[in-house]
Short mmCIF file of all heavy atoms in Angstrom, two decimals:
data_model
loop_
_atom_site.label_atom_id
_atom_site.label_comp_id
_atom_site.label_asym_id
_atom_site.label_seq_id
_atom_site.Cartn_x
_atom_site.Cartn_y
_atom_site.Cartn_z
N LEU Q 297 30.24 149.15 135.65
CA LEU Q 297 31.05 149.96 136.55
C LEU Q 297 32.05 149.12 137.32
O LEU Q 297 33.17 149.57 137.59
CB LEU Q 297 30.14 150.72 137.52
CG LEU Q 297 29.27 151.82 136.89
CD1 LEU Q 297 28.48 152.53 137.97
CD2 LEU Q 297 30.11 152.80 136.11
N GLY Q 298 31.66 147.90 137.70
CA GLY Q 298 32.59 147.04 138.44
C GLY Q 298 33.88 146.79 137.68
O GLY Q 298 34.97 147.06 138.19
N PRO Q 299 33.79 146.29 136.43
CA PRO Q 299 35.02 146.09 135.65
C PRO Q 299 35.81 147.37 135.42
O PRO Q 299 37.04 147.35 135.42
CB PRO Q 299 34.51 145.51 134.33
CG PRO Q 299 33.24 144.83 134.69
CD PRO Q 299 32.63 145.68 135.77
N ILE Q 300 35.11 148.51 135.22
CA ILE Q 300 35.82 149.76 135.00
C ILE Q 300 36.63 150.14 136.23
O ILE Q 300 37.82 150.51 136.15
CB ILE Q 300 34.84 150.89 134.64
CG1 ILE Q 300 34.32 150.70 133.21
CG2 ILE Q 300 35.50 152.26 134.77
CD1 ILE Q 300 33.30 151.73 132.79
N LEU Q 301 36.01 150.05 137.41
CA LEU Q 301 36.70 150.42 138.64
C LEU Q 301 37.87 149.48 138.92
O LEU Q 301 38.95 149.92 139.33
CB LEU Q 301 35.72 150.40 139.81
CG LEU Q 301 34.63 151.49 139.80
CD1 LEU Q 301 33.67 151.30 140.97
CD2 LEU Q 301 35.25 152.87 139.84
N VAL Q 302 37.69 148.19 138.68
CA VAL Q 302 38.75 147.23 138.97
C VAL Q 302 39.92 147.43 138.01
O VAL Q 302 41.09 147.53 138.44
CB VAL Q 302 38.21 145.79 138.88
CG1 VAL Q 302 39.37 144.77 138.93
CG2 VAL Q 302 37.24 145.51 140.02
N THR Q 303 39.65 147.50 136.72
CA THR Q 303 40.74 147.61 135.74
C THR Q 303 41.45 148.96 135.85
O THR Q 303 42.68 149.02 135.80
CB THR Q 303 40.21 147.41 134.31
OG1 THR Q 303 39.12 148.31 134.08
CG2 THR Q 303 39.72 145.98 134.11
N CYS Q 304 40.69 150.04 135.99
CA CYS Q 304 41.33 151.37 136.12
C CYS Q 304 42.10 151.48 137.43
O CYS Q 304 43.18 152.10 137.48
CB CYS Q 304 40.29 152.48 136.02
SG CYS Q 304 39.59 152.70 134.36
N GLY Q 305 41.57 150.89 138.49
CA GLY Q 305 42.30 150.90 139.76
C GLY Q 305 43.62 150.16 139.67
O GLY Q 305 44.66 150.65 140.13
N LEU Q 306 43.60 148.99 139.05
CA LEU Q 306 44.83 148.23 138.89
C LEU Q 306 45.83 148.98 138.02
O LEU Q 306 47.04 148.98 138.29
CB LEU Q 306 44.53 146.86 138.27
CG LEU Q 306 43.94 145.81 139.20
CD1 LEU Q 306 43.59 144.54 138.42
CD2 LEU Q 306 44.91 145.47 140.33
N MET Q 307 45.33 149.61 136.96
CA MET Q 307 46.23 150.37 136.09
C MET Q 307 46.87 151.54 136.84
O MET Q 307 48.06 151.82 136.66
CB MET Q 307 45.46 150.88 134.87
CG MET Q 307 45.12 149.81 133.87
SD MET Q 307 46.61 148.99 133.24
CE MET Q 307 45.89 147.73 132.19
N MET Q 308 46.11 152.22 137.68
CA MET Q 308 46.67 153.34 138.43
C MET Q 308 47.78 152.86 139.36
O MET Q 308 48.87 153.45 139.40
CB MET Q 308 45.57 154.03 139.24
CG MET Q 308 46.08 155.24 140.03
SD MET Q 308 44.83 155.94 141.11
CE MET Q 308 44.72 154.64 142.35
N SER Q 430 47.02 142.86 135.15
CA SER Q 430 46.25 144.08 134.94
C SER Q 430 45.72 144.16 133.51
O SER Q 430 44.56 144.53 133.27
CB SER Q 430 47.12 145.31 135.24
OG SER Q 430 47.52 145.33 136.59
N LEU Q 433 43.01 141.22 132.74
CA LEU Q 433 41.66 141.42 133.26
C LEU Q 433 40.84 142.38 132.40
O LEU Q 433 39.60 142.35 132.46
CB LEU Q 433 41.74 141.96 134.70
CG LEU Q 433 42.23 140.95 135.74
CD1 LEU Q 433 42.25 141.58 137.13
CD2 LEU Q 433 41.38 139.70 135.75
N ILE Q 434 41.49 143.20 131.59
CA ILE Q 434 40.73 144.06 130.67
C ILE Q 434 39.95 143.20 129.69
O ILE Q 434 38.78 143.47 129.40
CB ILE Q 434 41.68 145.01 129.90
CG1 ILE Q 434 42.23 146.07 130.85
CG2 ILE Q 434 40.95 145.69 128.74
CD1 ILE Q 434 43.16 147.06 130.18
N GLY Q 435 40.55 142.13 129.19
CA GLY Q 435 39.87 141.25 128.26
C GLY Q 435 38.92 140.28 128.94
O GLY Q 435 38.01 139.76 128.29
N LEU Q 437 37.19 140.77 132.22
CA LEU Q 437 36.14 141.27 133.11
C LEU Q 437 34.97 141.92 132.37
O LEU Q 437 33.83 141.82 132.82
CB LEU Q 437 36.72 142.28 134.11
CG LEU Q 437 37.64 141.72 135.20
CD1 LEU Q 437 38.10 142.84 136.12
CD2 LEU Q 437 36.93 140.64 136.00
N PHE Q 438 35.25 142.58 131.25
CA PHE Q 438 34.17 143.31 130.58
C PHE Q 438 33.29 142.37 129.77
O PHE Q 438 33.78 141.55 129.01
CB PHE Q 438 34.74 144.38 129.65
CG PHE Q 438 35.30 145.57 130.37
CD1 PHE Q 438 36.67 145.75 130.48
CD2 PHE Q 438 34.46 146.51 130.94
CE1 PHE Q 438 37.19 146.84 131.15
CE2 PHE Q 438 34.97 147.61 131.62
CZ PHE Q 438 36.34 147.77 131.72
N GLY Q 446 34.77 149.59 127.48
CA GLY Q 446 35.54 149.36 128.69
C GLY Q 446 37.02 149.22 128.43
O GLY Q 446 37.86 149.76 129.17
N MET Q 449 38.45 152.67 127.68
CA MET Q 449 38.56 153.52 128.86
C MET Q 449 39.72 153.09 129.75
O MET Q 449 40.51 153.93 130.21
CB MET Q 449 37.25 153.49 129.65
CG MET Q 449 37.30 154.28 130.95
SD MET Q 449 35.68 154.43 131.74
CE MET Q 449 34.90 155.59 130.64
N ALA Q 450 39.82 151.78 130.02
CA ALA Q 450 40.89 151.29 130.89
C ALA Q 450 42.26 151.52 130.28
O ALA Q 450 43.21 151.90 130.98
CB ALA Q 450 40.68 149.80 131.18
N THR Q 451 42.39 151.29 128.97
CA THR Q 451 43.68 151.47 128.31
C THR Q 451 44.07 152.95 128.29
O THR Q 451 45.23 153.30 128.56
CB THR Q 451 43.62 150.92 126.88
OG1 THR Q 451 43.24 149.54 126.93
CG2 THR Q 451 44.97 151.04 126.20
N PHE Q 453 43.08 155.31 130.34
CA PHE Q 453 43.40 155.73 131.71
C PHE Q 453 44.79 155.23 132.11
O PHE Q 453 45.55 155.93 132.79
CB PHE Q 453 42.35 155.19 132.67
CG PHE Q 453 42.58 155.57 134.10
CD1 PHE Q 453 42.28 156.84 134.55
CD2 PHE Q 453 43.12 154.67 135.00
CE1 PHE Q 453 42.49 157.21 135.87
CE2 PHE Q 453 43.34 155.01 136.32
CZ PHE Q 453 43.03 156.29 136.76
N SER Q 454 45.13 154.03 131.67
CA SER Q 454 46.45 153.47 131.97
C SER Q 454 47.56 154.33 131.42
O SER Q 454 48.54 154.63 132.10
CB SER Q 454 46.55 152.04 131.42
OG SER Q 454 47.87 151.56 131.50
N PHE Q 491 43.69 147.42 147.71
CA PHE Q 491 42.72 147.43 146.62
C PHE Q 491 42.52 146.03 146.05
O PHE Q 491 41.38 145.61 145.78
CB PHE Q 491 43.19 148.39 145.53
CG PHE Q 491 42.28 148.45 144.34
CD1 PHE Q 491 41.15 149.24 144.36
CD2 PHE Q 491 42.59 147.73 143.19
CE1 PHE Q 491 40.31 149.30 143.25
CE2 PHE Q 491 41.76 147.78 142.08
CZ PHE Q 491 40.61 148.57 142.12
N VAL Q 496 39.36 143.10 143.76
CA VAL Q 496 39.65 142.34 142.53
C VAL Q 496 39.10 140.92 142.63
O VAL Q 496 39.42 140.20 143.57
CB VAL Q 496 41.16 142.32 142.26
CG1 VAL Q 496 41.46 141.50 141.00
CG2 VAL Q 496 41.70 143.73 142.12
#
Side-chain angles (χ1 to χ4, degrees):
L297 293 183
I300 287 178
L301 292 176
V302 170
T303 54
C304 289
L306 283 176
M307 287 301 176
M308 181 186 70
S430 297
L433 290 181
I434 289 181
L437 289 182
F438 287 105
M449 176 172 288
T451 303
F453 181 77
S454 170
F491 178 82
V496 179

